[in-house]
Amino acid sequence: MKKILVVLSLFLLIATTVFAKQPKFKEATMIPQAAAPGDSVTLTVEFTGKIKEISKVFLTVREHPYDAPQFILQPDKSQKKKNIWMLKTIVPWDAPSESVNLDITAIDKKGKEIVSKGLENQATGKAGSVSFEIQ
């Protein structure tokens, strides 16, 4: 009986390790939602799972994927129970007045891109996106 319990426990442990799910995008928030060049902005992106399950999160400006730099987010380690990544930055001085989409790309610890349902065919930021107005 003990052998059966040990084997069953070992099997369940291996199964949970093998079938562990990839983190999923939950939501993104930009504060403020509109700003002028030179203004400070903060973007927070939340995923399911734990921070250590994601290796990299960055933004691409969809309308200017080759002109604008990629913005790298950092994990918010002050949040113990949530998987939140943040970026505090200044709107570039040379940014044109327009609405832009900030596409979010996330790479898990295995090197695979996190792809949200419905965004599979998007060129950049398959995890999610947030709109932003440059005044």
Side-chain angles (χ1 to χ4, degrees), residues 3-66:
K3 287 183 180 180
I4 293 172
L5 288 175
V6 170
V7 170
L8 185 59
S9 297
L10 185 59
F11 176 74
L12 289 174
L13 179 64
I14 292 170
T16 55
T17 304
V18 170
F19 297 111
K21 291 186 176 182
Q22 183 183 51
K24 294 185 189 298
F25 172 79
K26 284 179 83 174
E27 70 175 331
T29 308
M30 182 67 119
I31 299 174
Q33 293 180 338
D39 290 349
S40 295
V41 294
T42 301
L43 175 74
T44 57
V45 180
E46 185 174 357
F47 296 91
T48 61
K50 298 181 180 181
I51 286 176
K52 66 182 180 181
E53 296 173 333
I54 298 176
S55 64
K56 184 177 182 182
V57 179
F58 60 92
L59 301 175
T60 303
V61 180
R62 185 184 309 162
E63 292 77 11
H64 307 283
Y66 304 108

Side-chain angles (χ1 to χ4, degrees), residues 73-124:
L73 284 76
Q74 299 299 319
D76 183 0
K77 296 192 179 184
S78 68
Q79 299 287 332
K80 299 295 182 194
K81 299 199 182 240
K82 293 185 178 182
N83 187 354
I84 295 179
W85 292 69
M86 294 183 67
L87 172 69
K88 293 181 181 181
T89 190
I90 295 173
V91 178
W93 288 101
D94 59 348
S97 292
E98 65 181 333
S99 291
V100 295
N101 294 290
L102 303 174
D103 292 336
I104 302 159
T105 300
I107 309 298
D108 70 10
K109 67 180 180 181
K110 296 177 183 176
K112 295 185 178 184
E113 185 173 4
I114 295 171
V115 180
S116 296
K117 188 175 181 177
L119 301 180
E120 299 91 348
N121 296 322
Q122 190 163 303
T124 61

